Amino acid sequence: MAFETRELVQLDQPVSKQTWTLSSDVLDFTPDDALHHLAAELVAESDVIESCPPKKKLSGATIDMLRRLKVVWVRYCQTMALRDPEGYACPLTVLRDGPAKKYMIFFAWYCMNYPARRLNSYDSKWRALRCLFFFEFDSVINPTISRHVNNYIRKELCEKFNLLEGTRPKRELGPVGLYSLLDYHWTLDREIFKHERERLQVATVLLFISYTSLRPGSLVESNCYRGTNQSLQYKDVRVFLLRADNENASVLVLELDAWLQKGKRHRAELTTFTMYEQPGNLILCPVTHFLGLAFADVAFRNEKLTPENIRTLQVPKDQGKLQIKFKDEVSEVPIFRRVEQTAFGPRISAERAMPYNTLHFAVGRLGQRGGCDFALHPYAIRRYVATTMDASGVSTAQLCLSLGHAGADTFRKHYQSRRVTVDVQSCFLGTRSRADLIKAASETYTRRHPDLPQRPPEEEKQQISRDSQLCDMREKRQQLKDLLTAKYGGLKRARQSSTCEDLIQKWDRYSRDIMKRSRTLKKKSHREALYTFHDNADVLEVDAQLNGRTTCKASTLEPTLETVDHQILERRRFAALVEEARNTEIEQAALGRIVTVAVRTLVQLCGRYECRLSKKPSVKLTISTPKPKLTLLPPKPTLLLPSTICLLCYGDRSRPIDQRTYPFACRFSLKRHLVSCHEPHFPTQPFTCPHELCGATLNGSFVQFQSHATRVHGATL
């Protein structure tokens, strides 16, 4: 029913008499006439609804799931069209008019091409396919067809492909495992991130998930809302200086407003969480990590505020807390942002949020390198938080509010742990409960070992290169390359020609398939090596101890500057501060100084990055530089550089000094580096020469830059 809106009458304005007069038709309108009028409108609306029923509004996650399923269905129809072109010509027609047999063939094809081996995965896939049918055609699949397909999935498909019933065990990561992983992340990890701010962002997101129980999609850009740039922003966080129990001390506190929870993005609902600092534990302190990001973005409104004087502030006596506000221009800026490649090196985007895929990949790799015996996922922390809150006696209302659930059934179905945390043995014997022992047994511990496989060994890589499918695709690509070389004189000239676009696309498809197949085999080999290692590690340890020796070297596990030599000085400094903060006998004043220096170090770390150099430099052109120390200063710059040093890399002060002055083996290697790394992202606007002593203005032409580097700075190109 349509309702007319009326403007509100202001009380301070005089009301004319015409406003209060009613027409004779309105005065003669009786209550019976009103009922008849309302009934007539309802009947008319019911006819409209029956003729054109409105579609149910679906969430962003459901729409994204249907979009992915539609892509899979189209791929299936394209594959089957090679055998039956007429029967699978139009994917939507096959979905609408297809018999039960075509749906059964789809699930058999899905089993052969996708790794899902759980029966409940195919039950949910069949429900999603029926939802896609209703979403596309506003009708349901024939119940007889649905029953036949359901019986086929549960009987024939399950027996043919050995599908497993039940759900996969969901692992959890508690404070012990998280501390071990983040300790490795900051002190021992040799993984090279695209930008060091990304390392800080990954650790901060993990801490925020641990202390708020939020989904990762509420902090970074969710895959279901890809391209919307919706993530945690500075306007969603407030920094307070709170008066502690001791009136002479104050505590920094973060308040986080969660707007982007699942199913509540378009509602006027928010959940507020509170986090406080852990001054004695730099690794698990969320405030220290957040202040490093905020000071790096120059986000605070007070210009004189620094990491050194923020802890000297005091809460006024007439109020309980003091808010430290952000600038208005950064209120819409995402806190966790992605890395963008530029001609001068990787840089942090000013506006674009960090995608969930980046976080998922970084956390998974951290779990592999840190010694987790399972595939680490950000939800492992959220599941532990949910289980711990439920065991601590939190009310159902608070549990649902914290987790963002509509009811307790979601927790019981997807989050409740299958591990019994009650000491049943003490209950039977009537002795004192050993709940602490039960809790310690349920913790997830990481295994740090010098023999932990970090990447596939050379023997595995050579075996992968001899894979039959890879050899077949390489042979076909080589035949295609020989054809293009004979006809056009080379692959580069063939790309410039407009008469062989199909052959070039075929070449690119072969290259992508080879890369995808090789990457898949390497990941599979690495997973198998990790599984074999974790399966045999305890057996080898027991055998070693029984034989009077140990299998692990304690010196390789200690997070000290002597065991791990990081290229970036700020990482070494932060690792030393973490080691110093572990001292339990340290005074409060010294601990405050350590935290202040740690925040300043994280701010400087947000402007650094390092790259992986694929080839060793030539012995003749190697520039001897001393071993990096905390007091290392770059050498005195000169306008004329060695002939094989990249000018753009040298002018990037975010790199370590040995990478800035890295000499390539020859001028051809330098030219390949410039063309592959810098030319695709070269600016089109005029810019200043990156050399700190030059200052020449270049017009944005890559050819002019090469000429300038050769003529002024001595580069050999």
Side-chain angles (χ1 to χ4, degrees), residues 208-246:
F208 278 18
I209 295 175
S210 304
Y211 301 145
T212 62
S213 71
L214 286 173
R215 296 179 180 87
S218 301
L219 302 173
V220 298
E221 186 184 58
S222 175
N223 284 342
C224 299
Y225 297 90
R226 189 182 292 112
T228 60
N229 206 41
Q230 294 181 357
S231 65
L232 186 69
Q233 300 175 348
Y234 278 105
K235 67 178 182 181
D236 303 328
V237 180
R238 294 180 296 276
V239 181
F240 288 101
L241 198 64
L242 190 65
R243 191 189 306 278
D245 297 334
N246 184 7

Side-chain angles (χ1 to χ4, degrees), residues 80-364:
M80 300 304 296
L82 300 177
R83 303 178 181 178
D84 186 7
E86 297 181 359
Y88 292 88
C90 180
L92 288 181
T93 304
V94 176
L95 180 64
R96 182 187 59 195
D97 303 332
K101 184 178 180 180
K102 291 190 176 181
Y103 295 117
M104 298 176 186
I105 297 175
F106 167 74
F107 285 105
W109 172 84
Y110 192 90
C111 276
M112 292 185 292
N113 291 275
Y114 291 88
R117 286 299 177 265
R118 293 276 174 180
L119 180 60
N120 59 354
S121 300
Y122 291 91
D123 289 338
S124 61
K125 191 67 64 177
W126 175 231
R127 288 194 300 268
L129 193 62
R130 287 180 293 180
C131 182
L132 177 63
F133 187 95
F134 181 80
F135 184 75
E136 293 290 341
F137 308 113
D138 294 333
S139 61
V140 297
I141 295 180
N142 191 340
T144 304
I145 296 178
S146 180
R147 184 171 61 253
H148 289 335
V149 175
N150 192 37
N151 294 337
Y152 169 78
I153 292 175
R154 292 193 161 272
K155 186 178 179 181
E156 297 180 13
L157 188 70
C158 188
E159 294 176 354
K160 183 177 180 180
F161 294 96
N162 297 323
L163 301 182
L164 303 176
E165 297 186 6
T167 58
R168 181 183 304 172
K170 298 178 180 179
R171 302 291 298 272
E172 299 175 354
L173 184 68
V176 177
L178 180 64
Y179 179 83
S180 178
L181 284 178
L182 291 183
D183 180 50
Y184 176 84
H185 178 71
W186 284 115
T187 58
L188 296 175
D189 192 12
R190 294 182 175 88
E191 182 77 4
I192 296 179
F193 283 75
K194 293 181 180 179
H195 199 281
E196 285 301 313
R197 181 185 172 112
E198 194 172 77
R199 186 188 303 274
L200 176 58
Q201 290 181 160
V202 170
T204 309
V205 170
L206 291 181
L207 292 178
F208 278 18
I209 295 175
S210 304
Y211 301 145
T212 62
S213 71
L214 286 173
R215 296 179 180 87
S218 301
L219 302 173
V220 298
E221 186 184 58
S222 175
N223 284 342
C224 299
Y225 297 90
R226 189 182 292 112
T228 60
N229 206 41
Q230 294 181 357
S231 65
L232 186 69
Q233 300 175 348
Y234 278 105
K235 67 178 182 181
D236 303 328
V237 180
R238 294 180 296 276
V239 181
F240 288 101
L241 198 64
L242 190 65
R243 191 189 306 278
D245 297 334
N246 184 7
E247 295 184 358
N248 296 328
S250 300
V251 181
L252 284 171
V253 177
L254 299 180
E255 284 190 359
L256 189 148
D257 293 336
W259 291 87
L260 304 177
Q261 296 201 63
K262 185 178 179 180
K264 301 179 181 180
R265 289 178 177 249
H266 303 290
R267 303 180 187 177
E269 300 179 6
L270 62 89
T271 307
T272 303
F273 298 91
T274 304
M275 295 174 286
Y276 50 89
E277 59 180 338
Q278 301 276 350
N281 195 337
L282 294 179
I283 293 178
L284 297 181
C285 181
V287 178
T288 301
H289 288 67
F290 176 78
L291 289 180
L293 295 173
F295 278 113
D297 292 336
V298 196
F300 292 106
R301 190 178 299 181
N302 302 94
E303 297 181 357
K304 295 183 179 181
L305 189 67
T306 61
E308 289 76 18
N309 60 22
I310 188 173
R311 298 184 183 277
T312 62
L313 302 177
Q314 297 293 331
V315 181
K317 296 182 178 180
D318 56 342
Q319 62 188 59
K321 59 183 180 180
L322 177 66
Q323 183 177 0
I324 305 175
K325 295 188 176 182
F326 298 108
K327 297 179 181 178
D328 295 336
E329 52 267 25
V330 302
S331 60
E332 302 289 338
V333 175
I335 299 176
F336 309 111
R337 302 192 294 276
R338 69 180 68 194
V339 180
E340 293 180 344
Q341 188 68 31
T342 66
F344 307 101
R347 296 291 184 267
I348 296 295
S349 175
E351 298 177 348
R352 302 184 64 188
M354 179 182 182
Y356 174 74
N357 289 338
T358 302
L359 175 67
H360 178 72
F361 177 78
V363 172

Side-chain angles (χ1 to χ4, degrees), residues 611-626:
C611 61
R612 182 179 289 106
L613 301 176
S614 58
K615 296 182 180 180
K616 295 183 179 180
S618 176
V619 178
K620 297 180 180 180
L621 298 176
T622 301
I623 298 179
S624 60
T625 56

Side-chain angles (χ1 to χ4, degrees), residues 411-565:
F411 168 77
R412 285 193 290 268
K413 183 178 180 181
H414 300 285
Y415 287 85
Q416 190 171 24
S417 176
R418 306 300 300 173
R419 178 185 291 271
V420 178
T421 57
V422 179
D423 190 0
V424 183
Q425 182 176 345
S426 65
C427 293
F428 177 78
L429 297 176
T431 58
R432 183 176 61 87
S433 176
R434 300 292 302 276
D436 54 344
L437 189 64
I438 303 297
K439 183 178 180 180
S442 62
E443 281 284 353
T444 300
Y445 299 93
T446 60
R447 181 181 288 109
R448 295 185 186 175
H449 198 280
D451 297 333
L452 180 69
Q454 298 290 343
R455 55 181 59 88
E458 293 296 331
E459 297 79 8
E460 292 291 336
K461 291 182 179 179
Q462 294 178 2
Q463 186 177 359
I464 289 173
S465 63
R466 292 191 295 267
D467 180 69
S468 59
Q469 295 187 17
L470 280 177
C471 294
D472 185 40
M473 287 188 290
R474 288 197 189 101
E475 183 178 358
K476 292 181 179 179
R477 188 179 66 171
Q478 184 63 33
Q479 293 176 359
L480 185 60
K481 182 179 180 180
D482 295 340
L483 177 62
L484 292 174
T485 303
K487 189 174 182 180
Y488 297 96
L491 185 62
K492 186 175 181 180
R493 294 183 179 180
R495 289 185 181 276
Q496 299 174 356
S497 176
S498 60
T499 59
C500 60
E501 295 181 357
D502 297 339
L503 296 178
I504 292 297
Q505 292 178 1
K506 194 174 181 180
W507 161 272
D508 295 337
R509 185 168 62 252
Y510 277 137
S511 301
R512 289 193 301 267
D513 293 343
I514 291 172
M515 184 181 300
K516 183 179 179 180
R517 176 68 179 175
S518 177
R519 188 179 303 163
T520 302
L521 292 176
K522 289 180 181 179
K523 288 182 178 179
K524 183 180 179 180
S525 175
H526 190 207
R527 286 195 300 266
E528 292 176 354
L530 286 174
Y531 175 78
T532 304
F533 169 78
H534 288 294
D535 188 43
N536 299 327
D538 292 339
V539 178
L540 296 177
E541 181 68 26
V542 171
D543 289 341
Q545 293 187 19
L546 292 177
N547 295 328
R549 57 186 177 84
T550 180
T551 58
C552 62
K553 301 177 182 179
S555 60
T556 61
L557 306 180
E558 292 295 332
T560 59
L561 296 177
E562 288 76 12
T563 57
V564 179
D565 187 15

